[in-house]
Amino acid sequence: MKSQQHCGLIESERFLRDFPPTRRYLIGVSGGRDSIALLHLLVDLGYNKLVVCHLNHQLRGRESQRDARFVGKIARDLQLDCEIGSTDVGALAKQSKLSIETAARFARFAFFVEAARRRRCTRIFLAHHADDLVETALLNLFRGASPGGMAAMRNISIHRIGKTKLTIFRPLLGVWRSEIDSYIEQRGLKFCEDKTNRELGSSRNRIRHRILPYISKTFGRDVSKAIWRAAAIWVDEESFLEVMTPVVGLRLNVVELCKLAVPLQRRAIVGWLRLNRVPNAGFDLVENVRSLMEPSSLTSKINIPGDRHVRRRAGKIFVE
């Protein structure tokens, strides 16, 4: 895996040197090859205060139970603390009307946050790698996301649930799946194979097994590295735009908003909608709010979910 250092977003070991191994960290371990590789890499680098966190999604019956037992044994063998949780993700998806993948992601982060509270540790390592970054970028692009959405997977990010802030470290975002496979083979590491990763039911798996291979075949070359580079550029540009976007309050000042460039207007409005707890702040809603800025606009009210409205009055835009 070390040979990949010069091709990554940030060299993995250089990235890790910024985070002293003497401190306590959580680490998400599914039992699959990616998380097992990261776990052993960290242990080799002297991270001996890791808390291994595993959530049983209850989606694969005995196989899910097997994975939980496997992760628990790995933690004991490495003399690490361990947090094992269980959530009926299928029931959660049905109740919340979410896809299995989305419900699973919400359940994992809720579990990680709860583990962070119990362990009084708000830092976690996750094993997302370069292929994950490419797949996520395409998935969000096809869903109509902004460049910010396509740069959603970063080396360092913040996830909040309630009053708890969880800092997420992804040191493998510059490492490809093939390098992880080689690392696992060279070290002779055992892992759990999730058979659902080969099924085409989820959007991510279709991107991985059909769309990306088809695009690469059409262009006669592997396009993954080009998509990875584009995502890396989006990450840097997102960081710049975040600094440039003004902090807004519960009401938008139309005059001040009009002074901003259009991209910053949109970002300020998205932040304002989130502050007002308006769900699904997509492109159409943002543009409708922008239309209220025009002095000649005949519209002064926009309906939003929850029987609420966005209004413009006396040079202010607000939710009521």
Side-chain angles (χ1 to χ4, degrees):
M1 197 167 342
K2 293 181 180 180
S3 64
Q4 182 63 18
Q5 286 182 338
H6 299 295
C7 303
L9 196 64
I10 300 176
E11 295 180 358
S12 294
E13 290 191 13
R14 180 182 176 185
F15 173 84
L16 289 168
R17 284 200 296 268
D18 292 333
F19 307 100
T22 53
R23 298 182 69 181
R24 176 179 289 184
Y25 303 88
L26 308 178
I27 176 172
V29 179
S30 67
R33 66 184 69 205
D34 307 334
S35 59
I36 291 297
L38 176 60
L39 176 62
H40 282 271
L41 176 65
L42 291 173
V43 169
D44 286 349
L45 292 173
Y47 290 82
N48 55 16
K49 293 184 179 180
L50 297 171
V51 179
V52 174
C53 299
H54 174 87
L55 181 66
N56 178 352
H57 295 72
Q58 300 182 27
L59 292 172
R60 294 177 292 120
R62 291 182 179 179
E63 286 189 7
S64 293
Q65 297 172 13
R66 174 209 65 185
D67 292 354
R69 289 193 299 269
F70 173 78
V71 172
K73 183 179 184 303
I74 289 288
R76 289 192 299 273
D77 291 346
L78 294 173
Q79 298 182 329
L80 300 173
D81 289 340
C82 189
E83 291 274 349
I84 303 288
S86 184
T87 299
D88 188 342
V89 169
L92 176 63
K94 186 176 181 180
Q95 180 182 3
S96 55
K97 297 181 180 179
L98 297 171
S99 68
I100 290 291
E101 186 178 18
T102 301
R105 185 171 65 252
F106 286 161
R108 279 194 302 275
F109 277 110
F111 167 67
F112 292 153
V113 166
E114 186 58 35
R117 290 171 182 159
R118 282 196 298 269
R119 297 288 178 162
R120 297 183 179 181
C121 174
T122 58
R123 303 172 298 272
I124 185 168
F125 286 110
L126 297 182
H128 297 120
H129 49 75
D131 295 87
D132 290 324
L133 178 65
V134 169
E135 291 160 11
T136 299
L138 281 182
L139 190 63
N140 289 344
L141 173 65
F142 296 152
R143 288 171 174 168
S146 66
M150 288 176 277
M153 195 172 283
R154 306 187 187 192
N155 288 100
I156 303 176
S157 59
I158 305 295
H159 188 89
R160 290 180 175 87
I161 293 183
K163 296 181 180 179
T164 302
K165 181 178 73 172
L166 190 63
T167 302
I168 301 166
F169 303 132
R170 297 182 176 93
L172 301 185
L173 282 186
V175 180
W176 296 92
R177 186 175 287 118
S178 57
E179 263 90 23
I180 291 174
D181 290 344
S182 296
Y183 179 83
I184 289 284
E185 185 177 353
Q186 291 167 8
R187 294 287 306 273
L189 299 177
K190 295 180 180 180
F191 59 91
C192 295
E193 189 73 62
D194 185 349
K195 295 178 182 178
T196 63
N197 287 334
R198 296 194 295 269
E199 296 174 357
L200 298 178
S202 73
S203 299
R204 180 177 293 276
N205 283 356
R206 288 194 292 273
I207 286 175
R208 179 182 304 169
H209 297 298
R210 285 195 173 174
I211 294 175
L212 270 171
Y214 177 78
I215 295 174
S216 295
K217 182 179 179 181
T218 300
F219 282 87
R221 60 184 177 84
D222 184 0
V223 298
S224 293
K225 288 182 173 60
I227 298 170
W228 185 94
R229 287 193 296 269
I233 292 170
W234 293 330
V235 166
D236 291 339
E237 292 183 351
E238 269 299 293
S239 299
F240 172 75
L241 289 172
E242 283 175 0
V243 174
M244 297 295 293
T245 304
V247 177
V248 297
L250 289 175
R251 292 181 172 229
L252 290 174
N253 185 305
V254 174
V255 173
E256 294 301 319
L257 197 60
C258 287
K259 293 178 182 178
L260 300 176
V262 171
L264 297 182
Q265 289 177 3
R266 289 176 175 144
R267 294 177 63 89
I269 290 170
V270 168
W272 172 76
L273 289 168
R274 289 173 179 166
L275 184 64
N276 282 276
R277 298 184 178 181
V278 178
N280 304 320
F283 179 80
D284 291 338
L285 177 55
V286 171
E287 291 303 288
N288 286 338
V289 174
R290 286 187 64 242
S291 71
L292 297 179
M293 297 163 46
E294 299 295 329
S296 60
S297 175
L298 299 177
T299 303
S300 61
K301 183 181 79 169
I302 298 169
N303 295 328
I304 57 176
D307 197 26
R308 294 193 294 169
H309 315 281
V310 175
R311 284 190 181 275
R312 184 198 70 219
R313 185 184 299 136
K316 303 287 185 181
I317 296 176
F318 54 93
V319 174
E320 64 174 15

Short mmCIF file of all heavy atoms in Angstrom, two decimals, residues 3-4 6-9 130-131 133-135 137-138 173-179 212 215-216 221-234:
data_model
loop_
_atom_site.label_atom_id
_atom_site.label_comp_id
_atom_site.label_asym_id
_atom_site.label_seq_id
_atom_site.Cartn_x
_atom_site.Cartn_y
_atom_site.Cartn_z
N SER A 3 3.43 1.93 -1.73
CA SER A 3 3.84 2.35 -3.06
C SER A 3 2.86 3.30 -3.69
O SER A 3 3.17 3.97 -4.66
CB SER A 3 4.01 1.12 -3.96
OG SER A 3 2.77 0.46 -4.12
N GLN A 4 1.67 3.40 -3.14
CA GLN A 4 0.63 4.27 -3.70
C GLN A 4 0.73 5.69 -3.17
O GLN A 4 -0.01 6.56 -3.59
CB GLN A 4 -0.74 3.67 -3.35
CG GLN A 4 -1.95 4.43 -3.89
CD GLN A 4 -2.00 4.46 -5.38
OE1 GLN A 4 -1.34 3.67 -6.03
NE2 GLN A 4 -2.77 5.38 -5.94
N HIS A 6 2.53 8.27 -3.69
CA HIS A 6 2.74 9.38 -4.59
C HIS A 6 1.54 9.63 -5.50
O HIS A 6 1.53 10.60 -6.23
CB HIS A 6 4.00 9.12 -5.44
CG HIS A 6 5.25 8.99 -4.62
ND1 HIS A 6 5.77 10.03 -3.87
CD2 HIS A 6 6.06 7.94 -4.40
CE1 HIS A 6 6.87 9.62 -3.25
NE2 HIS A 6 7.05 8.35 -3.56
N CYS A 7 0.53 8.77 -5.46
CA CYS A 7 -0.63 8.91 -6.33
C CYS A 7 -1.87 9.39 -5.58
O CYS A 7 -2.89 9.60 -6.19
CB CYS A 7 -0.95 7.58 -7.03
SG CYS A 7 0.43 6.93 -7.99
N GLY A 8 -1.78 9.55 -4.30
CA GLY A 8 -2.95 9.86 -3.49
C GLY A 8 -3.21 11.33 -3.34
O GLY A 8 -2.37 12.16 -3.67
N LEU A 9 -4.39 11.64 -2.78
CA LEU A 9 -4.76 13.01 -2.47
C LEU A 9 -3.78 13.57 -1.45
O LEU A 9 -3.32 14.69 -1.56
CB LEU A 9 -6.19 13.05 -1.93
CG LEU A 9 -6.89 14.37 -1.91
CD1 LEU A 9 -7.08 14.88 -3.31
CD2 LEU A 9 -8.22 14.26 -1.20
N ALA A 130 -9.86 5.23 -2.75
CA ALA A 130 -9.97 5.99 -3.99
C ALA A 130 -11.15 5.54 -4.85
O ALA A 130 -11.85 6.36 -5.45
CB ALA A 130 -8.67 5.88 -4.78
N ASP A 131 -11.39 4.23 -4.93
CA ASP A 131 -12.52 3.73 -5.72
C ASP A 131 -13.84 4.20 -5.12
O ASP A 131 -14.78 4.52 -5.86
CB ASP A 131 -12.48 2.21 -5.78
CG ASP A 131 -11.27 1.69 -6.54
OD1 ASP A 131 -10.22 1.51 -5.89
OD2 ASP A 131 -11.36 1.48 -7.76
N LEU A 133 -14.30 6.97 -3.54
CA LEU A 133 -14.41 8.39 -3.89
C LEU A 133 -14.96 8.55 -5.30
O LEU A 133 -15.86 9.38 -5.55
CB LEU A 133 -13.04 9.05 -3.77
CG LEU A 133 -12.95 10.53 -4.14
CD1 LEU A 133 -13.78 11.37 -3.17
CD2 LEU A 133 -11.50 11.00 -4.12
N VAL A 134 -14.44 7.76 -6.24
CA VAL A 134 -14.90 7.83 -7.64
C VAL A 134 -16.37 7.44 -7.74
O VAL A 134 -17.17 8.12 -8.40
CB VAL A 134 -14.03 6.91 -8.52
CG1 VAL A 134 -14.64 6.76 -9.92
CG2 VAL A 134 -12.61 7.47 -8.62
N GLU A 135 -16.75 6.34 -7.09
CA GLU A 135 -18.13 5.87 -7.15
C GLU A 135 -19.09 6.89 -6.53
O GLU A 135 -20.18 7.13 -7.07
CB GLU A 135 -18.25 4.52 -6.43
CG GLU A 135 -17.53 3.40 -7.16
CD GLU A 135 -17.22 2.21 -6.27
OE1 GLU A 135 -17.74 2.17 -5.13
OE2 GLU A 135 -16.47 1.31 -6.70
N ALA A 137 -18.60 10.15 -6.25
CA ALA A 137 -18.67 11.32 -7.12
C ALA A 137 -19.66 11.09 -8.26
O ALA A 137 -20.49 11.95 -8.57
CB ALA A 137 -17.29 11.65 -7.67
N LEU A 138 -19.58 9.92 -8.91
CA LEU A 138 -20.51 9.61 -10.00
C LEU A 138 -21.94 9.49 -9.50
O LEU A 138 -22.88 9.99 -10.13
CB LEU A 138 -20.09 8.31 -10.69
CG LEU A 138 -18.94 8.40 -11.69
CD1 LEU A 138 -18.69 7.03 -12.31
CD2 LEU A 138 -19.24 9.42 -12.78
N LEU A 173 -8.00 7.63 1.04
CA LEU A 173 -8.69 8.15 -0.14
C LEU A 173 -7.79 8.24 -1.36
O LEU A 173 -8.27 8.40 -2.48
CB LEU A 173 -9.29 9.53 0.15
CG LEU A 173 -10.59 9.54 0.94
CD1 LEU A 173 -11.16 10.96 1.03
CD2 LEU A 173 -11.64 8.62 0.32
N GLY A 174 -6.49 8.12 -1.18
CA GLY A 174 -5.58 8.09 -2.32
C GLY A 174 -5.09 6.70 -2.66
O GLY A 174 -4.18 6.54 -3.47
N VAL A 175 -5.69 5.69 -2.05
CA VAL A 175 -5.26 4.30 -2.25
C VAL A 175 -6.35 3.54 -3.00
O VAL A 175 -7.52 3.59 -2.62
CB VAL A 175 -4.97 3.61 -0.90
CG1 VAL A 175 -4.52 2.17 -1.11
CG2 VAL A 175 -3.91 4.39 -0.12
N TRP A 176 -5.97 2.82 -4.06
CA TRP A 176 -6.94 2.13 -4.89
C TRP A 176 -7.24 0.73 -4.35
O TRP A 176 -6.44 0.16 -3.61
CB TRP A 176 -6.45 2.04 -6.34
CG TRP A 176 -6.34 3.40 -6.95
CD1 TRP A 176 -5.22 4.18 -6.96
CD2 TRP A 176 -7.38 4.16 -7.55
NE1 TRP A 176 -5.51 5.39 -7.57
CE2 TRP A 176 -6.82 5.41 -7.94
CE3 TRP A 176 -8.72 3.91 -7.83
CZ2 TRP A 176 -7.56 6.40 -8.57
CZ3 TRP A 176 -9.47 4.90 -8.46
CH2 TRP A 176 -8.90 6.12 -8.84
N ARG A 177 -8.38 0.20 -4.73
CA ARG A 177 -8.81 -1.12 -4.26
C ARG A 177 -7.76 -2.19 -4.60
O ARG A 177 -7.54 -3.11 -3.81
CB ARG A 177 -10.16 -1.47 -4.89
CG ARG A 177 -10.78 -2.76 -4.37
CD ARG A 177 -12.16 -2.97 -4.96
NE ARG A 177 -13.16 -2.06 -4.40
CZ ARG A 177 -13.84 -1.16 -5.09
NH1 ARG A 177 -13.64 -1.03 -6.39
NH2 ARG A 177 -14.73 -0.39 -4.51
N SER A 178 -7.12 -2.07 -5.74
CA SER A 178 -6.12 -3.06 -6.13
C SER A 178 -4.93 -3.06 -5.17
O SER A 178 -4.36 -4.11 -4.86
CB SER A 178 -5.63 -2.78 -7.56
OG SER A 178 -5.10 -1.46 -7.67
N GLU A 179 -4.54 -1.85 -4.67
CA GLU A 179 -3.45 -1.78 -3.69
C GLU A 179 -3.86 -2.42 -2.37
O GLU A 179 -3.05 -3.08 -1.71
CB GLU A 179 -3.05 -0.32 -3.43
CG GLU A 179 -1.86 0.15 -4.25
CD GLU A 179 -2.29 0.73 -5.58
OE1 GLU A 179 -3.45 1.16 -5.69
OE2 GLU A 179 -1.45 0.76 -6.48
N LEU A 212 -18.95 2.07 -14.62
CA LEU A 212 -17.53 2.41 -14.75
C LEU A 212 -16.82 1.51 -15.76
O LEU A 212 -16.07 2.02 -16.62
CB LEU A 212 -16.84 2.36 -13.39
CG LEU A 212 -16.84 3.67 -12.60
CD1 LEU A 212 -16.33 3.44 -11.18
CD2 LEU A 212 -16.02 4.74 -13.30
N ILE A 215 -17.90 2.70 -19.28
CA ILE A 215 -17.28 3.97 -19.67
C ILE A 215 -15.82 3.75 -20.04
O ILE A 215 -15.33 4.27 -21.05
CB ILE A 215 -17.42 5.01 -18.54
CG1 ILE A 215 -18.88 5.36 -18.31
CG2 ILE A 215 -16.63 6.28 -18.90
CD1 ILE A 215 -19.11 6.27 -17.11
N SER A 216 -15.10 2.97 -19.23
CA SER A 216 -13.69 2.70 -19.51
C SER A 216 -13.52 1.96 -20.83
O SER A 216 -12.62 2.27 -21.62
CB SER A 216 -13.08 1.88 -18.37
OG SER A 216 -13.07 2.62 -17.16
N ARG A 221 -9.77 3.29 -22.05
CA ARG A 221 -8.82 3.50 -20.96
C ARG A 221 -9.58 3.54 -19.64
O ARG A 221 -10.79 3.76 -19.61
CB ARG A 221 -8.05 4.81 -21.14
CG ARG A 221 -8.93 6.06 -21.19
CD ARG A 221 -8.11 7.30 -21.48
NE ARG A 221 -8.96 8.49 -21.59
CZ ARG A 221 -9.38 9.23 -20.56
NH1 ARG A 221 -9.02 8.88 -19.33
NH2 ARG A 221 -10.14 10.28 -20.75
N ASP A 222 -8.84 3.36 -18.55
CA ASP A 222 -9.43 3.42 -17.22
C ASP A 222 -9.71 4.88 -16.88
O ASP A 222 -8.78 5.69 -16.79
CB ASP A 222 -8.46 2.81 -16.20
CG ASP A 222 -9.06 2.76 -14.80
OD1 ASP A 222 -10.20 3.19 -14.62
OD2 ASP A 222 -8.37 2.27 -13.87
N VAL A 223 -10.98 5.23 -16.72
CA VAL A 223 -11.36 6.62 -16.46
C VAL A 223 -11.38 6.94 -14.97
O VAL A 223 -11.59 8.11 -14.60
CB VAL A 223 -12.75 6.93 -17.07
CG1 VAL A 223 -12.73 6.75 -18.58
CG2 VAL A 223 -13.83 6.07 -16.42
N SER A 224 -11.17 5.96 -14.12
CA SER A 224 -11.30 6.18 -12.67
C SER A 224 -10.35 7.25 -12.16
O SER A 224 -10.74 8.11 -11.36
CB SER A 224 -11.07 4.87 -11.92
OG SER A 224 -12.09 3.94 -12.19
N LYS A 225 -9.10 7.23 -12.63
CA LYS A 225 -8.13 8.20 -12.14
C LYS A 225 -8.50 9.61 -12.58
O LYS A 225 -8.27 10.58 -11.83
CB LYS A 225 -6.73 7.83 -12.62
CG LYS A 225 -6.15 6.60 -11.92
CD LYS A 225 -4.74 6.30 -12.37
CE LYS A 225 -4.13 5.18 -11.54
NZ LYS A 225 -4.90 3.91 -11.63
N ALA A 226 -9.08 9.77 -13.76
CA ALA A 226 -9.51 11.09 -14.22
C ALA A 226 -10.65 11.61 -13.35
O ALA A 226 -10.68 12.80 -12.98
CB ALA A 226 -9.95 11.03 -15.68
N ILE A 227 -11.59 10.74 -13.01
CA ILE A 227 -12.70 11.14 -12.14
C ILE A 227 -12.17 11.47 -10.75
O ILE A 227 -12.60 12.44 -10.12
CB ILE A 227 -13.76 10.03 -12.07
CG1 ILE A 227 -14.35 9.78 -13.46
CG2 ILE A 227 -14.87 10.38 -11.09
CD1 ILE A 227 -15.25 8.55 -13.56
N TRP A 228 -11.21 10.67 -10.26
CA TRP A 228 -10.61 10.93 -8.95
C TRP A 228 -9.95 12.31 -8.93
O TRP A 228 -10.10 13.08 -7.97
CB TRP A 228 -9.58 9.85 -8.64
CG TRP A 228 -9.00 9.95 -7.26
CD1 TRP A 228 -9.42 9.32 -6.14
CD2 TRP A 228 -7.85 10.72 -6.89
NE1 TRP A 228 -8.61 9.66 -5.07
CE2 TRP A 228 -7.65 10.52 -5.50
CE3 TRP A 228 -6.97 11.57 -7.58
CZ2 TRP A 228 -6.60 11.13 -4.80
CZ3 TRP A 228 -5.94 12.18 -6.88
CH2 TRP A 228 -5.76 11.96 -5.51
N ARG A 229 -9.21 12.65 -10.01
CA ARG A 229 -8.55 13.96 -10.06
C ARG A 229 -9.57 15.09 -10.07
O ARG A 229 -9.37 16.12 -9.42
CB ARG A 229 -7.64 14.05 -11.30
CG ARG A 229 -6.36 13.23 -11.19
CD ARG A 229 -5.38 13.61 -12.29
NE ARG A 229 -5.90 13.29 -13.62
CZ ARG A 229 -5.70 12.13 -14.23
NH1 ARG A 229 -5.01 11.17 -13.63
NH2 ARG A 229 -6.18 11.92 -15.44
N ALA A 230 -10.66 14.90 -10.82
CA ALA A 230 -11.72 15.92 -10.84
C ALA A 230 -12.32 16.12 -9.45
O ALA A 230 -12.54 17.25 -9.00
CB ALA A 230 -12.80 15.53 -11.84
N ALA A 231 -12.56 15.01 -8.76
CA ALA A 231 -13.11 15.09 -7.41
C ALA A 231 -12.15 15.80 -6.47
O ALA A 231 -12.56 16.58 -5.60
CB ALA A 231 -13.45 13.70 -6.88
N ALA A 232 -10.84 15.56 -6.64
CA ALA A 232 -9.84 16.22 -5.81
C ALA A 232 -9.86 17.73 -6.04
O ALA A 232 -9.74 18.52 -5.10
CB ALA A 232 -8.45 15.65 -6.11
N ILE A 233 -10.04 18.14 -7.29
CA ILE A 233 -10.13 19.57 -7.61
C ILE A 233 -11.38 20.16 -6.97
O ILE A 233 -11.35 21.26 -6.40
CB ILE A 233 -10.14 19.78 -9.14
CG1 ILE A 233 -8.78 19.41 -9.72
CG2 ILE A 233 -10.50 21.23 -9.49
CD1 ILE A 233 -8.75 19.37 -11.24
N TRP A 234 -12.49 19.43 -7.05
CA TRP A 234 -13.74 19.92 -6.44
C TRP A 234 -13.59 20.10 -4.93
O TRP A 234 -14.12 21.05 -4.36
CB TRP A 234 -14.89 18.95 -6.74
CG TRP A 234 -15.29 18.89 -8.17
CD1 TRP A 234 -15.19 19.90 -9.09
CD2 TRP A 234 -15.82 17.76 -8.88
NE1 TRP A 234 -15.63 19.47 -10.32
CE2 TRP A 234 -16.02 18.16 -10.22
CE3 TRP A 234 -16.14 16.46 -8.51
CZ2 TRP A 234 -16.55 17.31 -11.18
CZ3 TRP A 234 -16.66 15.60 -9.46
CH2 TRP A 234 -16.86 16.03 -10.78
#
